[in-house]
Every structure is written in structure tokens, then in C-alpha cells.
Amino acid sequence: MIVSYNWLKELIQLNVPAEKLAEEMSLYSVEVESFSKLIQATNLVVGYVKEKRKHENSDHLNVCQVHFGDYDLQIVCGAPNVEEGQHVIVALPGAVLPGGTIKKSVIRGVESNGMICSLQELGLDAKYIPSEFAHGIYVLGADAVPGTNALAYLGLDDYVIELGLTPNRMDLLSMKGVAKDVKAMYQVEENPLSYTFQEASQKTEDELTVSLETSNCYSYYARVVKNVVIQESPTFIKARLIASGIRPINNVVDITNYILMLFGQPLHAFDQDQLGHRIVVRRAKDGEKTITLDQIERALTHSDIVITDGEKPVCIAGVMGSSNTEVTEKTVNVVLESAVFRPLSIRKTSSRLGLRSEASIRYERGVDVNQSLEALNYACYLLEQYASGTVLKGYIHQGVSHIEDKVFTITPTYVENYLGIKIPLLKIKDICEALSFGVTIENEQLKVSVPNRRLDITIQQDLVEEVARMYGYDQLQETLPLMNVSGGLTMHQKARRIVRHTFKDMGWNEVITYSLTHPKKVEEFNLLQKENETTIALSHPMSEEHAVLRKSLISSLVEVVAYNQARKITDNAFFEIGKKYYRIGEDTFEETVVSGIINGRVPGHPWSNETKTVDFFYVKGILETLFAHLRVQVQYQALDTPTSQMHPKRTALLVYRNQVIGFVGELHPKYAKEHDVVESYVFEILLDALLEEPLAVVPFQAISKVPSVERDLALVMDIQQPVGEVLEAIRKSDKMISKVQVFDLYIGDKIESGKKSVAVRITLESDETLTDEIIASKIKRILKSLEYRYHITLRA
Amino acid sequence: MSHQLENIQQEALTKIEQAKTMLELNEIRSYYTGKKSPLAEIMKGLATATIEEKKTLGAASNQVKQAIESAVMAKRMALEEAIINAQLEKEEIDVTLPGYSFKKGTIHPLNQVIEELEDIFIGMGYSIAEGPEVEVDVFNFEMLNVPKGHPARDMQDSFYINENVLMRTQTSPVQARTLLEAGGKPVKIVCPGKVYRRDDDDATHSHQFTQFEGLVVDKHITMSDLKGTLSLLMQKMFGENRRIRFKPSYFPFTEPSVEVDVSCFKCGGKGCSMCKHTGWIEVLGAGMVHPHVLKACGYDPEVYQGFAFGAGIERITMLRYGIDDIRHFYTNDYRFLKQFEGDR
């Protein structure tokens, strides 16, 4: 909604400068999106072209003597339509136009003291400019007084305030509504609209019948105006429409738009000679068609409302008229409609047809039926005044004619309890009255009656809002809620922070990538899929790129690495904590995962040439640190079902409490190559499963006073034997074993082929001194068991 | 005799003084103090002397011996010192060469801001609530006073999965879920999370973004409590001199609804390019919980009141760090992320 400051001043006794008004409306009424002068250009004066002669050195320039009342100036003009006897807009030297500043100059040897302007040159959008003046200077009426302000003559010396309307404030979609709110802000008086018109003896009801055949039309008023003269609108109507952002067309159409802006009541004018004498409002038939004013054929459905002549549609109700009854230059007799329709129905129709009109915007939000008749009558007055129309006697009405005020009871105590500040009873009364609400006081209670135009006020709290905003939100105190509750992070939230900070502390960079992904990528890296799991897809995606919900984060992380690598950033380490989404049957699931990708060099000595590249065991070490921080123990299992995204021989599944909760490994070299990334290692861990059980407190263990003992063993085993299993077996074989470490791995010709030698260091701890005999016997037992279970021998 | 002793002492001390190495010093020491030393020879010759002579000479010889021993000791310390000094000299390093590189990781700026906000609210006794991103229409709209056909649905065109399920367009459904779960008890939560809207990605729009929402419901919660809470929040986020102001607005799930401006933290409110010369920057939406929402969640609006607020994390982060394009957050350029290194 664009508000004309001049129009507003016509409606209320406003003494506030435009800029201040714009600022304060934001605080007390509704958000102001922009504020500006309607026309930025300055120093524009009415001039009278006394004399015009050809420029001696040009075939298209004219030299004009222009009269300004007290003085004359010579101005060179290039416009083809400049003529003697015209009143024109002149930008005097010093005038600032959108195209630059006007200076006194010499054009091809002839002095020129300003510029005769077109409307475009003033910065007016081409759509507002009548076609006859599209390619030349604008010609003012003969009543323009030379030497006076040209913008004032045009009514364009105005300020415009654009309101950012919220869906509830339908009352602010009209100048009258805005005026009521501004009036309340400054507690000023309204200027009532005064108008009269003559009614002909001929009765409307003899010319027209109206019948409503759908309850989606609440109210339908109609009047007939005969013998209109279609012409240009008077200047003030054009100026108001231009300020409101509406293109002037002709007087009849402009008057309906003027009423729409003034009352917020959409009017529709039919050419009666095309329409006939009958109006039937009904639901459209499925497949019924009509050509709208924009010359597009529209197919209708049963949910649309149409105005018909009893047979065919002549208007899609509340949205747009049909071209078959359009008011044209030839129109003589007009039927005016002032109706109210069901908001939801209009909304459906306009969004289905993709047709948003000034009318539909208002109908969608709700139009006040109590004003429909006045709006219609005011239009008749204007048609009589400016289109020479003859208004027939009386009007036709079907449906609801008046909706009673809503009455609310509020007390200062209630207001205080809600806002936390005391507002005196009489102050509340003042505010309500300034808003044009009816107020009576009984026993410290206010009975407030709110007129129907404030459709947004439906509950007591809405009224408290009115009081609060007009009283001023700056009057609120700043207090904190007093409550008997405690807060904090849950175990799961704490654990997620541990994950995030652990990776950060180990040098990884956290990223956030999109949850929506391409259907082609969605199955990638989905090693952790559940039985019967399916993908969640959007019903109407904006693009294939973001059409389904991801089931793994890794393909996005690969993209992040590819992006950075392409920008010469090496040694990447990225992680993300996010969700994977899937569906089983009708149920949707979301699981929190942490995923990562790493490649390049292991950070180390700064200037030596020895650099190590990240490998599987580097990432495994990182994960082990994470698990230690989280106090969980996870087992590694070689991947047995190969995928095309992971290296088949360098990928492990992570097992926690007999459940696969993640994987880690090298990106399949083929996949890496296809996606332009170097050798990289990735992992993904289901955090929910890992963090499911709360951690128990582990009691303190007494520290042994006896030093621990270490023994090294070189174990020869089958080359395929997973070492982890062996270490686990040793660890579990004796309570005194506190640590089992691998310190060497040998495969080569010094031992039997098909075997490997693994050097392990076993640490034993005990409260008593461990003698050589005790240790020897324990080692012997371990070896015996290893030999039995894994055919392991001691290296010779 | 004593003359002889003096000579021995003189000779020994000179040799000790001239010793260059520890080995040399040790040899000198054993020569003069050993069983075959000149001193010992003299003592052997005393066998024929008188008791008186033995006493005086014995004492004198012991003195010589002690003098030699302490000279050796002193020399040894001097030599050791010299050795260490020489070694230290050789061990000189350039302390300005770089140290071992430990990579400094980063937390995504959006999550840094979320953690900071969470911590501010935890300090005020709030809990962190979470909810699903794939949400049902009932929670995302209907329970929040946005029935089907409501014009507010226009403000946030959504990604639907089917007629009743969509990607949540706001974190507000968590309000409804939390209230339902709390079953009539007081609620004091904040809720950060991802939300989704049908927007083309450009410098100021992202189809996926992050919201931070707060909800407080109890018997005596007022709009002044809302203002005090948000004022404190803005001071903690943007500096202690920040003020806030409320402007009338509309959200279906609050009544009254307000937009919240914070006084510009760049110019302090005088007006600058950051605040578009108004002195104020819009950062939050807020209001008193709409009675329809309370009722739908099983709270009697005659007894319970509350406030709610919400902010876009991207917007706050962009304002705070002067980031000009929302897409930076989702492009994950290392050169962008690296700028958010550090823990404070």
C-alpha cells in the first residue's frame, strides 16, 4: 500500500511533516518500507510559450520565448510537439532532474535558459504518461498560471510512504483506514467526506436485476449511471492514482480505482450495453472459460465465483473483469458493482490463475461490507461530477448489508497483567476513542465496541495490542521473567558439543551443507541404511539439485573438498554434524550423524622435508580420540560388501554394542577421480546410536604402588589374521594386563611366506610385586592360548 | 723438609692450574695424592724422625694434601663449567623459526553464534529444545494459528513432501511440541535449528537457513519481561550500550506481535550506512504467545501467558561480522571458515 501524504492531509487535520510521519508510523502503526518524494526533480515552473521559431542552425530545434508571469526567457527546445500558446513545464537553470542539473547554456550559437520538460524527464515512470505525450513534452491545461510551481499544478508535489502490510491489517489497504490510524497516533480530527449527487427519476431496479446464487458472495450492491462521457480524468484523480502506483486510464476506470484506494472497496464498472439488464452471481462451471481484461483466456473451476449476465461470465469475481463488458471509449451506460466475497475463495482463484490485482489483494484479506454502499455512492458522485453521468434512482442490494460492532470488555488490571505496566483507565479510553472505537465505562471496566472495518480485532488481546502500540512500546519496562525452572544442556546436546569441539581442536573445519540433494547422489555412501529404508522426496522441488533429503553427508563433503581443491587449498579436513533423513513405510526418521573428510599432509615439523600423508590409521587415530572423549569403545570390522564409493580394501565398519554405527575408510580411487579430489579418507558415525545410553560414573581405582612390568613378544601369524582380534584376546586373557601395544609389523622373506610378524608390548600391573616366575607363567599361558585359537607362534 | 713440602705444593698447584682436560686433572690428582706420590715418599722417610718432628711434618703434609685436593676440586668445577658452556654454545637455535604446526580447526560461524546464544540463555535458566525438520502441517501451521487458506501461509512458501508433511518453514513448531509435552507446566526454552523455504538462493536468500527461537510460558509473564529479556540478549550479543525498540508487526502465533530493532552497534545510533541512517537495525521478531496457540497446546489462556521470539542466525552473524552474502555460509570456502578461528 502506497500512501499519498497530500491525500492523507485531505482526510485528516495533519500537521506532521511527511518524513516524521513516515518514521513514527513504523513505531505506532505499521512498518514503513520506503519514504520518498513522489517526484524528485526540483525548480519546475509553469511556462507559457509565447513565440516559437526555427533554430537557424538546426532542422529539429526550435527557439521559444517563454513567459513566466513577471519575466520571459528564451529556451531552445528539441521536442517535436512544442507549439505557441502551450502551457508547459520548464526546468529553470539550477533544477535538478534525474538526468542531471539544468544550466544556462548556448545551443548551436543560441542562448537557452532552461529546458521544457516531458514527464519522463521529471522521473515519472513511462506507464503513467498518456500515450499522446509519450514522445514529447507534456502540455499543461490552459488554467496553469505561468511562473507558479508546475508540480503543484499537476498535484505531483507529494510524498509517498510505502507500507509493508502484514496480512492482518486489511484496514490499512485504504486511505481512509490509514487516515484513521494516523488520526489516532496524533489525536487529530477527521475531515468528513461531503458529497451529493442528483438521482434521475428512472429507477435502478427497472434497469437491472441482481441475484446471488452462491454463498461465497456475502453482499452485492449495484447502481446504474447513464450517459457517461468517457474522457481523461481531472488532474487530482490522476495525481492521486499516480501517487498510489496506479496508471490512469479514463475517467470511469480511474474513478473506480480512486474509490478502491480511498475506501479499500473494489468497484467494478460494466458497460451496460454489453452486459444487459441482468446480473447473476454464481460459482463457475468446471471448464467454463472467459477472456479477462488482459486478453488472456482463463479456464475456470467450480471453486471460482463468476459474475454473469445470466448466461456467460462477465467477470471473475474479485479478481478481474472480462473483456466482453469492458468500459471503453465507446461506453455510454455503466453498471457499478460494490460487492464483498468470501476471502478464501478469492485467494484460491487468484493464486490458481496467478492473477493478483488490487481488488483480489483486498478481497483475500477481507473487505468491510459496512462501507460498500458509501463507496458506491461516492463513485456515483464522482461520475456525475467528472463523467457527466446521470445516476439512476436507488440501488440494488443482495446479501448482508451491515455487520454489528464487536464488543470487548477490558480492565486496566488485565492490561497491566499482560503488558507489565500500568496504563490508567482514562488513557485506555482516550486511545480507544482516538481509534474511533466506541467506549463506555462501568465499574472500572471498559466496554469497547470495535467496528467491522477492524476485521483483525477478534479477541481481547488484539485490543490490548491496539492500546499498547498507541500508548507506545517504548513505555514498556525491562524486566526478566521470574520462574521456578532450571535450564541447561541435555546429555545428548553436551555430547554433540564434545564432538564439535574435539574435531575443531584436532584441526578440522566445521561446515554446513544443504540437507536437500540430487536424487542421483542420495544413495551414495549410504552404508548405514536400515532395512526397508526409502528416500524422502519433495512433492514439488524447485530444482533436481535439491529434490530429495540426503541419507549421507559425505557426497556434500566431497563437493566441499573439490571446491577448495580447485582453489588451490590443500590438506583439507572438514566435518559436519547434521542429519540424515529417511522413511520406513509412512514414518519419517531423522538421525544425527557426524561425518568428515580429510586428505593431504599430516601436520608435523615445519621446515623439514619429511612429510607424511594422511592414511587410514591417521583417521582411525582421530576417531579413537573422539571415542575416548565420549567414553565409548568402538570395534572395527573390515567392510565385506563393497560399494563404488569406498575403497573395498581400506574401509572399516564401526561396531558399538553389536550394532554397526558408522564407517571409516578411503574414498574409492575411482570416485575420487570422478569428483576431482585427491586421495581422501571419510567417515560417518550415527551419533544418536552412540549417545543413546547415559554414561555411568566410573568409580576411582586405587593406583598401584608397584611399578608395572613390560614384556615384548614377536608373534607370527597368518597374514590374513586381523590383529585387532589378537590384541583383544591378549587384553582379555588376564586381569593384570593393562595395555597391549603393537610396535612393529613385519612381512617379508625373513619369515615364512603367507605369515606376518607382529611385535607387541604387553604391560602388566598388579598390587603385588610381579616376580619373573609369575610373569613367565602368564606369558606362557597367553602364548598357548594364542597358538590354540589363532595358530600363532613366537618368532624364532 | 718443610721446604720440600712447599715445593711439592707449588709444583702441584701449578700443574693443576695448567690442566686442560678432566683426564689430565685426574692424573695430576692421583699422582700427588696416591700411594706413590712425592708426599707419601716424604712420609715414608719420617720413620726415623722424632715424635715432635713427625707431628709437625705430618700436619704440614696434610695441609699440602688438602690444598691440592681443594685446588683439584675448584679446577674440576671450572673445567665442567667450561665443558657445559662449550656445549651450550654449540646448541644455539634461531628461536624465531616456526614451531611445529598443529592445525587450528574452526567451528562454523553459524554454530559459534548458536552456541553463544544458547549459553546466554542457559545462564538465564533456559533449556534447549529441538524438533524434527520434516514436520507435519499441524505443528508447522495449524497449531500456530495458521489454518489452511490463512494469508500468512503466503509469507513462507514451503517445500511439501505430501499434503500433510513438509520441511519446516520455521522453528516455531517446536513451541507447540514443547508445550504439548510439558503438559501444562511452565516452559522456558530456546530452540535453534534449520528451516527451509522456497527461495532461490541469492545474496540475501537461502532455501535452507537457521532460526533461533525462544518461548517462555508461565502464569505471570508480561510483555515487559519480553522486552527485558531481549534487551539483555542484545547487550550480550552486541555490546552493553545497546538499546532495543519494538515496532508493531504481525505473526499469527503472537498477539501483540512486534519487530525488534537494536540500536546500531556500528555508529551507536547516530546513523550510518550499516543502519541505513536510521540508527536502528532490525534483528528479531517477537510477541506475546497467541491465546489460540496456548489453547491448542492445552494451556488455559486465562491463566497462562507467555512470550516468544525468533531471529535468523544468518542475519545476526552477517550483521555482526559484516558478511555481505548469505551463500558464504553454505559454500564452505576454507578462506571464509578460517576467519572464524579461535575460541573467544
Side-chain angles (χ1 to χ4, degrees):
Chain A
M1 172 78 188
I2 302 171
V3 173
S4 149
Y5 176 69
N6 286 351
W7 202 349
L8 201 57
K9 279 178 74 165
E10 213 171 270
L11 298 171
I12 51 173
Q13 292 177 8
L14 184 64
N15 291 319
V16 182
E19 191 170 1
K20 185 160 184 257
L21 172 68
E23 217 178 289
E24 295 185 337
M25 279 189 82
S26 264
L27 296 179
Y28 297 97
S29 181
V30 71
E31 190 191 353
V32 170
E33 278 187 348
S34 70
F35 163 78
S36 65
K37 276 181 87 168
L38 176 57
I39 299 288
Q40 306 282 348
T42 60
N43 216 2
L44 302 168
V45 173
V46 177
Y48 174 73
V49 183
K50 264 168 59 175
E51 190 193 313
K52 171 190 127 178
R53 62 179 164 82
K54 283 229 124 315
H55 191 296
E56 48 208 19
N57 298 324
S58 163
D59 53 0
H60 72 279
L61 292 177
N62 290 301
V63 181
C64 304
Q65 299 303 321
V66 185
H67 177 66
F68 294 96
D70 301 337
Y71 57 98
D72 290 3
L73 289 173
Q74 174 172 293
I75 296 172
V76 175
C77 179
N81 63 334
V82 66
E83 295 301 341
E84 275 179 20
Q86 283 174 342
H87 288 78
V88 294
I89 307 164
V90 177
L92 292 176
V96 179
L97 302 187
T101 304
I102 300 300
K103 288 184 195 117
K104 196 168 162 178
S105 61
V106 175
I107 299 170
R108 295 194 191 180
V110 178
E111 188 184 288
S112 181
N113 297 291
M115 181 168 89
I116 302 179
C117 298
S118 68
L119 290 175
Q120 288 94 322
E121 282 160 339
L122 306 189
L124 199 62
D125 194 299
K127 75 172 179 179
Y128 299 124
I129 296 165
S131 55
E132 58 201 286
F133 299 119
H135 303 292
I137 56 161
Y138 186 71
V139 180
L140 304 172
D143 56 343
V145 180
T148 59
N149 183 342
L151 287 181
Y153 174 81
L154 289 169
L156 300 177
D157 59 336
D158 200 354
Y159 294 91
V160 284
I161 300 171
E162 192 180 355
L163 306 181
L165 277 194
T166 52
N168 60 327
R169 293 298 302 272
M170 58 288 280
D171 63 304
L172 296 181
L173 279 166
S174 70
M175 286 304 303
K176 279 188 75 174
V178 172
K180 284 248 192 291
D181 229 42
V182 175
K183 165 188 167 266
M185 277 170 62
Y186 298 108
Q187 312 229 345
V188 295
E189 291 301 308
E190 234 171 317
N191 298 325
L193 292 175
S194 62
Y195 61 97
T196 55
F197 57 90
Q198 288 269 295
E199 286 187 323
S201 56
Q202 194 183 357
K203 288 183 186 159
T204 307
E205 60 202 56
D206 295 338
E207 275 290 302
L208 190 69
T209 63
V210 173
S211 57
L212 301 190
E213 291 180 357
T214 168
S215 58
N216 283 348
C217 177
Y218 295 157
S219 163
Y220 200 101
Y221 285 95
R223 291 195 81 128
V224 176
V225 182
K226 295 277 186 188
N227 302 319
V228 294
V229 179
I230 303 285
Q231 58 191 26
E232 210 181 308
S233 289
T235 307
F236 82 92
I237 289 184
K238 282 191 292 184
R240 297 293 181 243
L241 292 184
I242 288 172
S244 306
I246 296 172
R247 182 166 67 100
I249 296 168
N250 61 46
N251 53 354
V252 174
V253 174
D254 292 353
I255 284 167
T256 62
N257 284 331
Y258 184 87
I259 296 295
L260 170 114
M261 288 310 298
L262 180 58
F263 289 89
Q265 167 69 61
L267 292 187
H268 190 69
F270 299 95
D271 184 327
Q272 197 199 1
D273 299 309
Q274 306 304 317
L275 173 76
H277 301 278
R278 201 173 155 208
I279 283 178
V280 177
V281 184
R282 60 163 167 84
R283 282 168 168 259
K285 294 167 193 150
D286 280 325
E288 200 169 9
K289 285 183 179 140
T290 191
I291 296 169
T292 43
L293 292 176
D294 51 9
Q295 301 306 324
I296 297 171
E297 188 179 66
R298 311 278 179 175
L300 305 173
T301 73
H302 190 58
S303 64
D304 303 325
I305 317 167
V306 284
I307 315 298
T308 68
D309 59 1
E311 310 266 320
K312 59 181 186 302
V314 292
C315 180
I316 303 174
V319 179
M320 195 179 267
S322 301
S323 63
N324 52 16
T325 51
E326 185 180 0
V327 171
T328 66
E329 282 156 33
K330 295 183 192 114
T331 298
V332 180
N333 302 312
V334 170
V335 170
L336 273 185
E337 154 200 304
S338 176
V340 178
F341 304 100
R342 186 167 173 242
L344 201 56
S345 165
I346 302 299
R347 185 178 148 77
K348 260 192 189 160
T349 302
S350 100
S351 77
R352 197 194 73 245
L353 297 175
L355 244 181
R356 286 242 137 153
S357 60
E358 292 286 345
S360 74
I361 286 169
R362 286 166 177 78
Y363 279 129
E364 276 179 20
R365 288 171 161 81
V367 166
D368 176 17
V369 72
N370 294 357
Q371 288 198 102
S372 299
L373 182 59
E374 194 189 10
L376 181 64
N377 287 340
Y378 198 75
C380 290
Y381 153 72
L382 293 175
L383 285 173
E384 183 188 81
Q385 287 285 312
Y386 304 106
S388 316
T390 307
V391 182
L392 297 197
K393 189 180 172 106
Y395 57 85
I396 295 178
H397 179 244
Q398 296 290 328
V400 181
S401 61
H402 186 81
I403 293 172
E404 291 299 316
D405 288 0
K406 291 156 284 186
V407 180
F408 300 93
T409 306
I410 57 168
T411 64
T413 317
Y414 180 75
V415 172
E416 186 181 349
N417 285 344
Y418 211 69
L419 300 178
I421 47 164
K422 240 187 186 64
I423 304 179
L425 179 86
L426 289 177
K427 182 72 201 169
I428 299 173
K429 177 171 175 275
D430 283 352
I431 290 171
C432 290
E433 283 173 350
L435 284 161
S436 311
F437 301 162
V439 185
T440 55
I441 299 180
E442 280 169 40
N443 310 325
E444 291 293 299
Q445 286 192 335
L446 292 110
K447 276 204 162 36
V448 183
S449 52
V450 177
N452 184 57
R453 68 179 176 82
R454 292 301 305 271
L455 287 165
D456 59 314
I457 300 178
T458 57
I459 54 171
Q460 202 180 13
Q461 286 79 2
D462 293 325
L463 197 58
V464 175
E465 170 168 35
E466 295 300 298
V467 173
R469 75 182 168 95
M470 285 299 171
Y471 190 65
Y473 286 129
D474 56 335
Q475 300 296 314
L476 289 176
Q477 302 231 341
E478 295 191 359
T479 52
L480 289 180
L482 292 173
M483 297 171 73
N484 290 321
V485 295
S486 67
L489 295 173
T490 62
M491 293 291 285
H492 197 285
Q493 289 162 348
K494 264 184 214 162
R496 255 180 291 157
R497 283 201 182 184
I498 291 172
V499 173
R500 174 177 294 138
H501 289 263
T502 300
F503 279 109
K504 188 216 84 178
D505 291 343
M506 289 191 295
W508 295 55
N509 300 294
E510 191 186 25
V511 300
I512 300 177
T513 59
Y514 295 133
S515 309
L516 289 164
T517 187
H518 198 288
K520 270 188 192 157
K521 290 184 201 145
V522 75
E523 295 303 337
E524 289 178 0
F525 301 100
N526 192 15
L527 274 67
L528 305 174
Q529 75 179 280
K530 302 272 188 298
E531 217 172 305
N532 300 323
E533 167 189 310
T534 56
T535 304
I536 303 174
L538 299 183
S539 60
H540 297 94
M542 289 173 77
S543 68
E544 275 293 276
E545 198 61 32
H546 306 302
V548 296
L549 280 163
R550 62 181 174 188
K551 295 194 283 194
S552 163
L553 277 52
I554 295 179
S555 59
S556 303
L557 294 178
V558 171
E559 283 169 20
V560 171
V561 166
Y563 170 94
N564 280 289
Q565 212 178 277
R567 281 154 188 81
K568 302 243 183 313
I569 295 155
T570 54
D571 308 334
N572 293 295
F574 295 110
F575 74 102
E576 178 171 8
I577 301 171
K579 280 179 171 178
K580 61 168 284 182
Y581 312 79
Y582 57 93
R583 178 200 280 290
I584 296 177
E586 278 306 296
D587 298 325
T588 58
F589 295 88
E590 298 174 24
E591 278 186 81
T592 307
V593 302
V594 58
S595 309
I597 184 164
I598 190 167
N599 63 33
R601 291 165 301 174
V602 174
H605 194 275
W607 64 84
S608 84
N609 285 323
E610 293 165 35
T611 49
K612 278 188 191 161
T613 313
V614 168
D615 64 5
F616 178 88
F617 299 101
Y618 182 83
V619 189
K620 182 171 176 181
I622 296 265
L623 295 188
E624 287 296 288
T625 310
L626 172 71
F627 296 142
H629 282 298
L630 293 173
R631 295 211 286 132
V632 292
Q633 273 178 5
V634 171
Q635 269 79 47
Y636 297 77
Q637 232 173 49
L639 176 70
D640 45 11
T641 46
T643 80
S644 49
Q645 292 94 47
M646 297 301 294
H647 192 304
K649 300 296 176 191
R650 291 185 176 174
T651 300
L653 294 175
L654 306 179
V655 180
Y656 175 69
R657 299 189 182 199
N658 299 321
Q659 200 191 336
V660 174
I661 53 100
F663 63 94
V664 54
E666 188 185 332
L667 213 54
H668 198 295
K670 233 177 111 191
Y671 186 91
K673 199 174 167 215
E674 280 163 14
H675 292 80
D676 295 317
V677 297
V678 298
E679 177 182 325
S680 300
Y681 291 81
V682 297
F683 66 85
E684 188 151 274
I685 300 164
L686 298 173
L687 283 179
D688 294 337
L690 200 60
L691 305 173
E692 213 164 60
E693 288 191 29
L695 287 179
V697 174
V698 180
F700 165 74
Q701 306 258 307
I703 296 161
S704 169
K705 294 190 175 74
V706 183
S708 61
V709 179
E710 287 171 354
R711 284 291 181 277
D712 293 349
L713 304 170
L715 304 172
V716 177
M717 62 190 81
D718 193 277
I719 205 156
Q720 295 294 337
Q721 173 60 46
V723 176
E725 242 174 80
V726 177
L727 298 179
E728 192 60 21
I730 298 173
R731 211 172 278 133
K732 283 184 178 158
S733 64
D734 198 298
K735 275 197 292 193
M736 285 185 192
I737 296 176
S738 65
K739 220 186 323 179
V740 184
Q741 289 164 285
V742 175
F743 65 94
D744 193 25
L745 172 69
Y746 177 78
I747 300 168
D749 49 14
K750 285 182 191 156
I751 53 168
E752 197 185 325
S753 75
K755 299 273 184 184
K756 62 186 168 192
S757 167
V758 181
V760 298
R761 175 164 300 159
I762 299 170
T763 309
L764 297 119
E765 261 172 37
S766 165
D767 288 341
E768 292 149 43
T769 310
L770 291 166
T771 61
D772 285 347
E773 290 77 44
I774 297 175
I775 296 165
S777 85
K778 282 191 186 297
I779 298 290
K780 205 175 158 191
R781 223 179 47 234
I782 291 168
L783 286 172
K784 210 171 166 189
S785 145
L786 290 180
E787 186 178 0
Y788 175 71
R789 285 172 71 184
Y790 304 107
H791 309 292
I792 288 173
T793 54
L794 213 49
R795 192 171 168 187
Chain B
M1 255 328 176
S2 68
H3 182 68
Q4 232 176 321
L5 280 175
E6 262 173 46
N7 282 347
I8 290 170
Q9 180 174 342
Q10 195 55 48
E11 187 189 288
L13 291 183
T14 313
K15 279 190 180 163
I16 289 166
E17 181 56 40
Q18 289 167 352
K20 293 269 183 308
T21 66
M22 207 59 100
L23 190 70
E24 210 181 317
L25 183 66
N26 287 340
E27 274 169 10
I28 295 166
R29 179 181 172 257
S30 46
Y31 175 74
Y32 285 103
T33 58
K35 280 178 184 157
K36 287 177 179 165
S37 71
L39 273 181
E41 291 300 318
I42 286 171
M43 294 310 280
K44 271 182 206 162
L46 280 183
T48 57
T50 63
I51 290 179
E52 205 56 28
E53 278 174 340
K54 276 185 186 169
K55 261 191 188 165
T56 31
L57 267 178
S61 152
N62 266 341
Q63 266 178 20
V64 171
K65 203 177 175 180
Q66 272 172 24
I68 292 172
E69 284 287 5
S70 64
V72 165
M73 188 77 81
K75 184 66 183 181
R76 178 175 289 152
M77 279 168 72
L79 281 177
E80 273 173 0
E81 179 86 9
I83 290 166
I84 288 170
N85 282 342
Q87 190 188 339
L88 292 180
E89 205 56 42
K90 272 193 285 180
E91 286 174 355
E92 185 180 359
I93 55 160
D94 175 358
V95 298
T96 65
L97 277 170
Y100 270 68
S101 64
F102 296 92
K103 275 199 161 183
K104 287 147 289 277
T106 52
I107 289 177
H108 195 281
L110 295 178
N111 285 330
Q112 286 190 32
V113 171
I114 288 175
E115 284 192 5
E116 188 176 338
L117 287 167
E118 285 178 347
D119 289 342
I120 290 170
F121 281 100
I122 287 169
M124 293 194 277
Y126 286 70
S127 302
I128 315 293
E130 292 165 300
E133 292 168 29
V134 180
E135 187 54 283
V136 285
D137 190 279
V138 176
F139 283 117
N140 195 74
F141 290 126
E142 278 172 45
M143 291 193 69
L144 299 172
N145 202 25
V146 189
K148 286 212 162 80
H150 190 287
R153 290 206 180 196
D154 245 21
M155 306 201 305
Q156 38 195 9
D157 282 347
S158 327
F159 287 121
Y160 273 91
I161 284 150
N162 61 41
E163 213 173 295
N164 297 312
V165 181
L166 74 163
M167 299 307 293
R168 69 176 177 193
T169 59
Q170 45 190 0
T171 43
S172 309
V174 181
Q175 286 189 18
R177 286 177 175 272
T178 307
L179 286 173
L180 277 179
E181 207 170 292
K185 291 202 194 78
V187 163
K188 197 176 185 186
I189 55 139
V190 285
C191 164
K194 290 173 184 164
V195 300
Y196 305 84
R197 291 187 195 171
R198 287 187 83 87
D199 277 323
D200 283 314
D201 296 335
D202 62 25
T204 53
H205 295 87
S206 182
H207 75 274
Q208 171 181 325
F209 61 103
T210 325
Q211 277 191 339
F212 191 89
E213 179 126 350
L215 173 72
V216 173
V217 172
D218 202 346
K219 287 179 183 164
H220 307 292
I221 306 301
T222 69
M223 203 167 174
S224 291
D225 290 338
L226 170 64
K227 197 170 181 192
T229 301
L230 296 181
S231 184
L232 200 68
L233 171 66
M234 287 299 122
Q235 286 164 7
K236 293 208 180 223
M237 285 299 289
F238 293 111
E240 56 179 314
N241 293 324
R242 297 286 74 76
R243 286 163 299 127
I244 61 164
R245 70 173 186 186
F246 284 179
K247 294 183 304 186
S249 188
Y250 171 78
F251 306 107
F253 33 88
T254 48
E255 187 63 43
S257 302
V258 290
E259 293 280 354
V260 184
D261 286 354
V262 63
S263 60
C264 182
F265 41 84
K266 198 173 163 196
C267 65
K270 281 188 260 59
C272 67
S273 62
M274 174 142 213
C275 56
K276 295 183 190 118
H277 305 282
T278 62
W280 297 92
I281 298 173
E282 202 171 291
V283 281
L284 286 150
M288 296 295 286
V289 181
H290 199 288
H292 292 174
V293 175
L294 287 173
K295 211 175 205 169
C297 297
Y299 284 74
D300 181 355
E302 300 288 321
V303 181
Y304 284 91
Q305 307 183 154
F307 64 71
F309 57 86
I313 296 292
E314 280 83 353
R315 179 168 166 76
I316 287 184
T317 312
M318 288 168 84
L319 283 171
R320 194 187 216 191
Y321 297 103
I323 298 166
D324 57 356
D325 192 324
I326 196 169
R327 286 169 294 197
H328 280 307
F329 295 121
Y330 298 97
T331 307
N332 299 302
D333 190 314
Y334 176 69
R335 294 162 297 181
F336 171 78
L337 299 172
K338 194 168 62 128
Q339 296 181 34
F340 300 93
E341 214 168 77
D343 273 329
R344 40 176 249 164

